[in-house]
Amino acid sequence: QVQLVESGGGLVQPGGSLRLSCAASGRIRSINAMGWYRQAPGKQRELVATITSGGSTNYGDSVKGRFTISRDNAKNTVYLQMNSLKPEDTAVYYCGAVDVRNYWGQGTQVTVSS
């Protein structure tokens, strides 16, 4: 089992920045990749960014050039640095991890509004 705990969400003005953190615990050595997904009201959950155990990254088209995913293996933590935030980035952001199955955190709300 893998447990994921997100933090760092909140309210920010358009153009601002936030950094989300996802701390993993449990069977972390079995994790192949971790990532961030988001779900806005009335919409399906969508990919934001992923990072593999080897460090390869992948981003959703809507966040390329604005968001950066990174990991600190010593802290078993994955980060999402979000810059130039837009109102359409408003959503619940979920941390995910995969080994032989998918694991999800509880989600953290990000609201971009003036």
Side-chain angles (χ1 to χ4, degrees):
Q1 289 282 0
V2 174
Q3 294 79 43
L4 304 170
V5 178
E6 302 107 330
S7 61
L11 173 64
V12 63
Q13 292 187 342
S17 298
L18 278 176
R19 189 177 80 154
L20 305 182
S21 300
C22 174
S25 61
R27 296 180 58 182
I28 56 177
R29 292 189 177 185
S30 66
I31 296 174
N32 297 318
M34 294 182 66
W36 291 94
Y37 298 75
R38 67 187 182 187
Q39 188 165 18
K43 295 188 177 182
Q44 291 186 331
R45 190 172 295 189
E46 65 172 354
L47 166 72
V48 177
T50 60
I51 186 166
T52 68
S53 56
S56 297
T57 58
N58 183 47
Y59 295 91
D61 289 340
S62 61
V63 306
K64 285 180 180 177
R66 300 188 296 124
F67 292 10
T68 302
I69 190 170
S70 62
R71 62 193 298 163
D72 184 333
N73 291 329
K75 296 182 178 180
N76 300 319
T77 299
V78 171
Y79 303 98
L80 184 68
Q81 179 66 43
M82 305 186 293
N83 298 328
S84 302
L85 282 161
K86 306 174 181 179
E88 51 264 42
D89 294 318
T90 295
V92 178
Y93 283 69
Y94 296 92
C95 177
V98 60
D99 51 19
V100 295
R101 51 156 287 188
N102 294 321
Y103 301 91
W104 296 102
Q106 80 284 358
T108 185
Q109 177 70 45
V110 172
T111 302
V112 184
S113 175
S114 56

